[in-house]
Amino acid sequence: MVQRFTLKIGDRLLTQETKKDYNEKVFSAVAPQYDFITRALSFWRDAAWKRSLVDALPAQEAPLCVDLACGTGDISFLLAEKYPHGGIVGLDIAKPMLDIARNRNTSSKVIFINQDISHLEFAPGSVDIVTGGYALRNAPDLKLVIDEIYKILKMDGIAAFLDFSKPSSRFLQRLEYWILRVWGGFWGILLHRNHEVYSYIAESLQLFPDRRRLHELFRDSGFTVINSRLYFFGITELLVVRKNPK
């Protein structure tokens, strides 16, 4: 039976606290459908994009990897395959997502914790690799999250992110907005009887920096952009950065 989704976006994305609260509630609500909807919204390309993200990471013997906004664990489990002697920590703000990830987990090298990406509880300079699938766009304060990533990474540590990407052109921004709003709205109505649940993607992207500005934010925070790969006509981007001394 289709469940009615009643949580409205309104102006919840405009402040740090309301966006954090909205993220926790919306991703908790959609957790049972999350694996399916990430595939459907990407025309079943999501799994390949996530594998490309992990393939883009450097070879290391036993790195400590932190997977931000891990959801049900897709990237965390791929990290465990790539680094069988490493340690992988997946973290998410939505406990129902973590419940699913823990039920899927068969590796002693992977643990999942309930944590806010704005306050990463790892020792400074202790982490080798940070990843995030659709994590940055959901940050209540993007600059704060980037600074947190810089803080926990070792020098020359690598961070890689997959997310929806915003072009510089105003025309292309509007076109992308309506594509995502209509496509997300379709699945929202089908699965939850409310278009807003996945229209959130389009609304959150409006407040997100465009590709050029996003790269600048990382550079300004002490990173070098070492790889940027666009998928699906530029609607999504794989971004890989390296921590440098400030």
Side-chain angles (χ1 to χ4, degrees):
M1 180 178 177
V2 175
Q3 297 295 312
R4 177 71 174 174
F5 181 85
T6 58
L7 189 60
K8 299 291 187 179
I9 297 173
D11 60 358
R12 293 172 183 262
L13 307 186
L14 299 181
T15 72
Q16 292 183 43
E17 285 305 312
T18 56
K19 185 174 183 180
K20 176 184 173 182
D21 179 69
Y22 184 82
N23 283 340
E24 183 175 0
K25 289 176 179 175
V26 74
F27 286 108
S28 294
V30 305
Q33 294 85 17
Y34 186 75
D35 287 336
F36 170 78
I37 197 62
T38 54
R39 274 52 164 178
L41 287 171
S42 66
F43 292 91
W44 277 263
R45 296 301 300 157
D46 172 75
W49 297 340
K50 289 174 177 173
R51 187 163 290 279
S52 293
L53 181 154
V54 175
D55 288 345
L57 298 172
Q60 294 192 30
E61 180 60 27
L64 173 58
C65 306
V66 174
D67 185 25
L68 306 181
C70 66
T72 60
D74 283 354
I75 294 176
S76 300
F77 299 133
L78 290 173
L79 290 168
E81 290 179 15
K82 185 178 180 76
Y83 304 115
H85 302 295
I88 290 85
V89 181
L91 60 90
D92 203 283
I93 199 172
K95 291 180 180 178
M97 289 284 196
L98 296 172
D99 290 339
I100 295 171
R102 288 170 181 141
N103 287 334
R104 295 175 63 195
N105 189 17
T106 60
S107 173
S108 62
K109 299 294 184 180
V110 183
I111 63 170
F112 294 101
I113 62 176
N114 181 222
Q115 195 171 119
D116 179 6
I117 62 174
S118 299
H119 304 284
L120 299 176
E121 298 174 14
F122 299 87
S126 64
V127 175
D128 297 282
I129 291 170
V130 171
T131 58
Y134 315 111
L136 295 178
R137 183 178 37 81
N138 292 318
D141 183 328
L142 179 58
K143 181 62 167 61
L144 175 61
V145 169
I146 292 174
D147 288 343
E148 285 287 291
I149 294 166
Y150 187 93
K151 181 185 72 176
I152 69 170
L153 274 174
K154 295 178 180 178
M155 198 57 61
D156 294 322
I158 298 294
F161 306 97
L162 174 69
D163 214 322
F164 291 91
S165 183
K166 186 174 177 179
S168 298
S169 163
R170 291 292 181 90
F171 170 76
L172 292 178
Q173 287 178 16
R174 294 306 297 169
L175 179 62
E176 180 183 50
Y177 170 82
W178 283 108
I179 289 171
L180 291 173
R181 183 174 172 85
V182 171
W183 186 231
F186 167 78
W187 286 105
I189 291 170
L190 193 66
L191 296 179
H192 304 278
R193 293 192 295 157
N194 187 326
H195 73 89
E196 289 205 11
V197 59
Y198 302 121
S199 295
Y200 164 78
I201 297 169
E203 301 301 333
S204 63
L205 195 58
Q206 284 207 104
L207 302 173
F208 196 61
D210 64 34
R211 275 191 294 274
R212 180 183 58 80
R213 179 58 186 146
L214 179 63
H215 294 190
E216 288 177 351
L217 282 172
F218 274 100
R219 292 189 185 102
D220 292 345
S221 298
F223 291 91
T224 295
V225 175
I226 60 176
N227 193 357
S228 172
R229 192 181 310 167
L230 299 179
Y231 300 109
F232 218 67
F233 308 103
I235 288 180
T236 55
E237 179 187 23
L238 167 59
L239 178 64
V240 185
V241 300
R242 181 179 62 239
K243 176 178 175 176
N244 296 324
K246 285 188 177 179

